[in-house]
Amino acid sequence: MEYNREEKFNLPLLKQLGDLGLLGLTVPETYGGSGMDATASVIVHEELSTSDPAFCLSYLAHSLLLVHNLSINSSHKQKEKWLPRACAGDIIGGMAMSEPGAGTDVLGMSTKATKQSLDTTSTNDCWTLNGRKMWITNGTLDGGLTTGDLFLTYAKTGPERQDITAFLVEKGMPGFELGQQIRDKLGMRASPTAELVLDNVEIPSHNVIGEVNGATLCMMRNLEVERLGLAAMGLGIARRSINVMKEYASQRQAFGSDLWKFGQIQQMITTSYAEYMAGRTYVYALANRLDLESDGNGLDADGAKLYCAQMAKEVADRSIQVLGGYGYVGDSAVERLWRDAKLLEIGGGTNESHHKNMARDLKAMPQELE
């Protein structure tokens, strides 16, 4: 509760997950990871979110948006350099994609990278990055004093809309600064969110991840994995909310009996359970068949997150209703869960973007649903 109230981040606890092998859950053991699959990732995200969705959000930003992304898209040398430390928790970071003027329309980003040749030796080429990144989870780790340690950062590198390249930007690089820590958020208050500023930041060529102008596919593929993780977070929020409802309904006495005797309470708890189980079936079915190195899984990644985000918020809302006044105050876990759940309808893709993406994919589907 104190981390939520004071908007503090539990960095020592996150680093401890490295000792458990969770920060590099999907990374091959060769590079310091645990070599596990999408189902393992879903299990961890559901469990962490059941306890604290905000902490889980910072975990997701590091383990999926940064570490998993590097594991899939970087070179062998880059993996050897960065992954063992990131898996151990020695460095903590995230991904820098959204901007003040580009969220859902991510390909409309304005951050640009220009190649600069320092001499005739191509290995000494570098890139100069300029722009601002907004809503960056783990953008600061020390309460708004400095940036996080490492960020997979997307920038425009050509004239076409899809000419986007991924760069590794390191803490301490000249021109890479913390713009602001974003405070007083509705929810996810124990997860730090920041604006990052790139002012003529020189990035060496060996910090380019993947092909120049080829990061759009990497970005979209990683969004699919992110959305699966966020859907699993929705499961955790719903499960905790149902448990709170069940316990309170057993303990609270009204009109001579516990709350389980009343049809309205029965309806809220049982509907919540059915919706949770439907979401859980969807999420785990997707995870069980998902190859983490594949792409083209957008329809169900969008669908699972769309369903679970809305479901989590509605279940948390019912939990508040069952608790009445006790659910409305800050000492209540479900008050926090309700606020945290709203982020799932915005972050990692808005509900509206999921509708658009799914409609496009369903229209293009040549066969009937079976």
Side-chain angles (χ1 to χ4, degrees):
M1 288 292 187
E2 67 172 295
Y3 291 98
N4 169 68
R5 290 193 184 102
E6 299 176 18
E7 296 186 87
K8 288 168 44 180
F9 177 47
N10 196 340
L11 180 59
L13 183 60
L14 184 67
K15 290 188 173 186
Q16 286 181 30
L17 297 186
D19 297 332
L20 300 176
L22 298 182
L23 295 183
L25 193 65
T26 61
V27 175
E29 294 181 29
T30 307
Y31 301 110
S34 297
M36 303 189 81
D37 59 8
T39 300
S41 179
V42 164
I43 292 171
V44 172
H45 281 85
E46 180 178 354
E47 293 301 321
L48 290 178
S49 188
T50 300
S51 176
D52 185 351
F55 179 81
C56 186
L57 185 67
S58 280
Y59 168 77
L60 181 150
H62 178 77
S63 67
L64 291 185
L65 304 189
L66 174 64
V67 176
H68 174 75
N69 205 331
L70 288 178
S71 177
I72 297 296
N73 298 308
S74 63
S75 68
H76 173 65
K77 286 186 177 180
Q78 290 168 332
K79 291 174 184 177
E80 284 189 321
K81 179 179 180 180
W82 296 110
L83 286 179
R85 286 189 289 160
C87 292
D90 296 333
I91 54 174
I92 300 293
M95 179 187 70
M97 182 174 68
S98 296
E99 299 183 358
T104 299
D105 182 19
V106 64
L107 296 184
M109 68 176 64
S110 60
T111 296
K112 294 183 179 180
T114 305
K115 194 172 186 179
Q116 309 290 335
S117 184
L118 301 182
D119 56 33
T120 57
T121 305
S122 61
T123 56
N124 288 330
D125 286 349
C126 73
W127 294 78
T128 301
L129 267 66
N130 283 284
R132 295 159 62 204
K133 295 296 183 178
M134 193 68 167
W135 315 115
I136 309 305
T137 302
N138 298 342
T140 181
L141 303 172
D142 55 11
L145 300 177
T146 63
T147 70
D149 297 323
L150 187 69
F151 294 90
L152 189 74
T153 303
Y154 295 103
K156 296 295 291 292
T157 48
E160 302 299 325
R161 182 169 166 83
Q162 294 193 355
D163 287 345
I164 294 174
T165 303
F167 301 87
L168 274 180
V169 181
E170 306 170 45
K171 179 178 182 178
M173 284 182 163
F176 179 46
E177 303 289 345
L178 178 68
Q180 60 175 316
Q181 179 172 2
I182 299 166
R183 299 185 182 274
D184 200 23
K185 297 178 295 184
L186 171 70
M188 301 294 184
R189 294 168 66 89
S191 174
T193 309
E195 177 189 29
L196 301 177
V197 177
L198 302 151
D199 184 10
N200 289 320
V201 181
E202 290 190 357
I203 307 293
S205 59
H206 56 257
N207 276 33
V208 175
I209 303 300
E211 298 295 326
V212 173
N213 293 336
T216 299
L217 175 61
C218 301
M219 182 166 57
M220 297 306 174
R221 178 167 54 195
N222 208 62
L223 277 172
E224 295 173 359
V225 178
E226 177 189 7
R227 287 165 181 167
L228 181 61
L230 290 167
M233 286 181 60
L235 297 179
I237 291 173
R239 194 178 88 199
R240 176 78 177 277
S241 298
I242 293 168
N243 285 335
V244 171
M245 276 192 279
K246 288 173 72 264
E247 181 180 8
Y248 186 81
S250 298
Q251 295 176 350
R252 177 71 174 186
Q253 296 290 310
F255 302 101
S257 67
D258 63 44
L259 297 187
W260 281 105
K261 300 291 185 180
F262 300 99
Q264 301 97 322
I265 304 300
Q266 294 172 3
Q267 186 272 336
M268 285 189 279
I269 298 175
T270 56
T271 298
S272 296
Y273 174 76
E275 290 176 352
Y276 162 72
M277 290 301 294
R280 199 168 192 269
T281 301
Y282 194 177
V283 169
Y284 280 90
L286 173 59
N288 286 339
R289 71 171 190 266
L290 182 65
D291 178 355
L292 288 172
E293 296 190 21
S294 68
D295 59 81
N297 307 292
L299 175 61
D300 285 321
D302 278 282
K305 178 177 173 292
L306 174 67
Y307 178 84
C308 288
Q310 294 175 313
M311 179 270 295
K313 189 183 71 174
E314 290 171 1
V315 171
D317 187 84
R318 293 190 196 109
S319 191
I320 293 174
Q321 195 70 21
V322 169
L323 270 65
Y326 290 107
Y328 191 71
V329 296
D331 287 339
S332 163
V334 293
E335 182 267 349
R336 172 175 55 86
L337 294 172
W338 182 80
R339 290 186 288 103
D340 289 347
K342 181 59 187 176
L343 185 277
L344 302 182
E345 296 186 323
I346 301 171
T350 62
N351 288 355
E352 294 74 22
S353 69
H354 298 321
H355 291 143
K356 175 180 67 68
N357 295 341
M358 293 176 71
R360 176 199 62 212
D361 293 345
L362 286 167
K363 181 180 180 182
M365 188 182 292
Q367 69 273 22
E368 294 182 351
L369 296 176
E370 296 179 355

